[in-house]
Amino acid sequence: MLRRHRERLTQVGLVVGVLATVLVTTFGIGYRSSEAVLGDASTYVQKGQTVVRVNAESGEADARSARALATGRQRLEVVQVGPERVYMVNNETGETWRMLTDDMRPTRVDQAPGGGQPPSAGATPSAGTSGRPATGTGDQPSSPPSPAPGTRTAADGREGTRQLVTGGEQAYLLNPVDGTLALLDGNSSRPVRLPARVDDAVVDSHGTAWALSQIAGRLYRIDGDGVRDESVVSAPEGAVRLTLAGDRPVVYQAVRGTGGSARIIGDGSRGDRTVDLDKPVDAGAVRVAEPGAPLPVLVTLHQPEDTISVIDFRTGTQYEARLSGRRGIRDYGRPVVTGDRIYVPDHRQRQVIVLELGTLRQRRAVQVPGTGRFEVTYRDGRVWVNDPYARRMLVFDRDELREVDKGRGDGVADDPAPTAPRTTPPRTTAPTVRPTTSTALPSPITSPRPTRSASPRPRPARTPQLVEVPQVAGKDQATACADLTAADLRCVPTTRNDPGCETGRALASVPEPGSRVHPRTQVTVFVCGPTAVPPVLGSFVDQACQAIQNAGLTCAPVEGGIAATPAEMGKVIGQSPEASSQVANRAQVTVTYLGKDRVTVPDVNGLASAAACERLASLGFGCAPNPEEVTWDVDVVKSQNPPAGTAAAVPGTQVQINYQDTTAVHLQRFKVSGQDARMLSLDPNPQAGFEQQPAIGGAYPPDAQVPGLVDVYGFVCRNNCGGGTRDISYYYSQDPNPPTSRYESMGRIFRCFGSPVPGTALLNGMYSNARRAWGFAPVGSFEHDSHTQNGYTDQTTNICYIWFKVPPFRPNG
């Protein structure tokens, strides 16, 4: 009773301490961020193929980059450094741009030489591998204020892409594929000379970069483009993660079966502090919080158990709670911690889960607009949630939630009717607190910040206002154009030589007088004079030919390309002679247009099946789902037929999308307590008398239907199983017959592949005569090497192929 009472007091004290410190620290970091980065409730995000500035207060985009930086559904990393600089990198092409915020004109950053090769000791690595020439010129910014420490773009689920990391007026480009890091300086980059390849990097508020090398087990401190010192943080090739909390680097290493540790690096006035994890977890299933937590507090998420955990480095206390309302396949992103809130992306259910940092009370789960993978980032005291190819995005301002309309076009999915974000009220779950200290803390402090409405005020859908084309015939050119301008239309005059007409007088227009058109529509005005070719680029072929014929010329339409969308079918992309050329009456004008009956098949690879079908349907294609793809990545399109870029007729063409709808599960391994006897199972819960070992890969339940799967049968011996020295043993095989008369069949245990598949490893049964025992491990795993070193070499059986070294099945081996 006394022990429970002490734990309760510790829990209350911990919550109070976290919240009290949050209020002080949040104001400091939030103020610096707001003042230094924008100060006007705005941020820069990807909108389709472009980058736009969006404003949380107005709920709209108010500026757009001067050029497109992506095609198809390519994704951009976007990071602002100071009030006047934005860096962007295209994750597919590797191209990097720098954009000044006053003119929104991107210029390409020179890539450091030699990119793409893993660095060796003393080598000079590169920041990128695009291989394209740079066009921009460098600049010398005048000491911009510091962005929020640890600022970076979320990249969960996109491992292997280039990542921008910033802080303290510095910006770096990390390439986890090459293991390289480069300092971005104006319109050029300088490679950092690294002793070994690096896997992750963060930048603190002083502009110091910290780069983690898993292969060397070291953390490098970097100033500018040079390594200043290094520290050992794990054994070589350890599964270590890096983040930033309280403006200090944190390394996290989970070791299933033994726990692991979390370590915060000192800053001179404070030394390092290491906290041992009191709960063993699978490192491959852990999501470590994005850099930038204002407190020296580490937040992690264990995906299989829906468990959110917090380590407070000030007290060494650990506490956790389970997320409510989760179901089906789990696909979480890295949590974002800011102020006294935790924001957890749930990509499977397309929600952002909001929790209180101090209590882990779940406040809400908000639905995210769009269909593609979304990003959750912290900017200017707010949390921004953006699907790059959705029209609408969300903004959290602590307890206030708003929706921002990025506008139409640029490749985003158009949803003209705005709706308030849907919020799911969660069940309240009390955290489990595991303190390692019992420091009493002061009474709770209530935040003075007022709570505002959680839902944005809905804005009515805008109805397009049409204007009428005025009569211009008989007026002089200046008056005709003035009348069109007054009607909010664009006047494009051209000349036509009608018999007996008065030079300079308007003869007709296209569109005709009385037509109702959208504002700013181009109106061609024919004025008496030498016949000139009217401008028709960008119009549709029928309208273009009408304008040419109205000019007294002959139209010769020629199909010359394939439209990317149905809206572009028939659009004129070329004309000869050029606009304004003076020609004889009835001269021929050739107009080249995009075909009217075919569209380029879009690239839907990487989308969820429903999103892929929606994308195809929006372009007039039929969708033929085929859930027979062999992959661990569930409900993600891996291939399509016809392929992307193919010209196909619409409507009518069926596009087959290939994906997998059957989920693999972790193949668990258990050891009989006190004996060298091991059992395989898909059930994560150990039986009485069994010790849980690390999961060894991914397999399927006995009823799963995936091409290439075979049945694996289990057998158990319960008496005299090893020369009279063992009373229990397990054996697994594709053969349904017992290996000896001492073994009885347990039936089908799991399914896996009978032949090698990319992303799988061969599961071996390994026997030791000396130990009279079987061991089971995939080739290439730590367990396999350990069994070999311990004499499990007297007999080897090939059981089947299981998923291995792919997320979430032991991605780091």
Side-chain angles (χ1 to χ4, degrees), residues 77 91 152-164 176 290 333-334 347 373-377:
E77 303 283 345
N91 276 328
R152 66 179 289 172
T153 51
D156 53 85
R158 286 181 285 141
E159 297 174 357
T161 60
R162 289 168 176 81
Q163 300 166 13
L164 289 161
E290 285 285 343
R334 297 178 67 177
H347 294 287
R373 199 168 185 88
F374 58 89
E375 300 168 352
V376 181
T377 53

Side-chain angles (χ1 to χ4, degrees), residues 138-327:
D139 67 345
Q140 297 295 329
S142 55
S143 300
S146 303
T151 299
R152 66 179 289 172
T153 51
D156 53 85
R158 286 181 285 141
E159 297 174 357
T161 60
R162 289 168 176 81
Q163 300 166 13
L164 289 161
V165 288
T166 67
E169 304 181 14
Q170 298 282 33
Y172 289 84
L173 184 64
L174 171 69
N175 188 337
V177 176
D178 296 346
T180 60
L181 188 69
L183 173 67
L184 297 179
D185 184 9
N187 281 52
S188 63
S189 63
R190 300 201 306 269
V192 177
R193 298 180 62 85
L194 297 166
R197 61 169 293 129
V198 296
D199 303 277
D200 202 356
V202 295
V203 185
D204 62 26
S205 65
H206 306 290
T208 300
W210 303 83
L212 174 68
S213 172
Q214 292 184 356
I215 194 171
R218 293 177 182 267
L219 183 68
Y220 303 116
R221 182 172 69 86
I222 299 165
D223 288 333
D225 56 3
V227 174
R228 298 297 174 254
D229 59 45
E230 60 185 71
S231 56
V232 177
V233 293
S234 73
E237 300 187 8
V240 186
R241 311 295 175 82
L242 175 67
T243 189
L244 197 71
D247 207 27
R248 297 160 68 189
V250 175
V251 290
Y252 172 91
Q253 184 174 24
V255 181
R256 186 164 187 170
T258 61
S261 64
R263 173 181 172 189
I264 190 166
I265 306 300
D267 60 359
S269 61
R270 295 165 291 184
D272 295 3
R273 178 161 191 179
T274 300
V275 176
D276 292 330
L277 305 183
D278 58 6
K279 178 181 179 181
V281 296
D282 183 356
V286 173
R287 300 289 184 264
V288 176
E290 285 285 343
L295 298 174
V297 171
L298 175 64
V299 175
T300 61
L301 172 64
H302 190 226
Q303 184 159 274
E305 298 179 356
D306 304 315
T307 302
I308 192 87
S309 302
V310 178
I311 298 174
D312 190 335
F313 288 104
R314 299 163 300 176
T315 63
T317 310
Q318 303 176 50
Y319 57 106
E320 67 177 31
R322 189 180 298 274
L323 299 176
S324 64
R326 304 303 100 190
R327 62 184 183 276

Side-chain angles (χ1 to χ4, degrees), residues 56-126:
E57 297 298 334
S58 69
E60 296 179 341
D62 54 21
R64 176 184 180 276
S65 60
R67 58 164 293 187
L69 303 176
T71 59
R73 292 183 71 84
Q74 294 173 341
R75 298 179 75 94
L76 302 172
E77 303 283 345
V78 183
V79 167
Q80 184 170 12
V81 185
E84 77 282 351
R85 283 184 299 160
V86 176
Y87 281 104
M88 301 150 292
V89 60
N90 186 309
N91 276 328
E92 184 168 319
T93 66
E95 291 176 303
T96 305
W97 289 273
R98 172 179 175 270
M99 182 176 72
L100 298 182
T101 58
D102 58 353
D103 61 8
M104 300 290 285
R105 294 187 178 278
T107 54
R108 192 175 289 127
V109 174
D110 291 329
Q111 298 289 303
Q117 299 299 321
S120 57
T124 303
S126 160

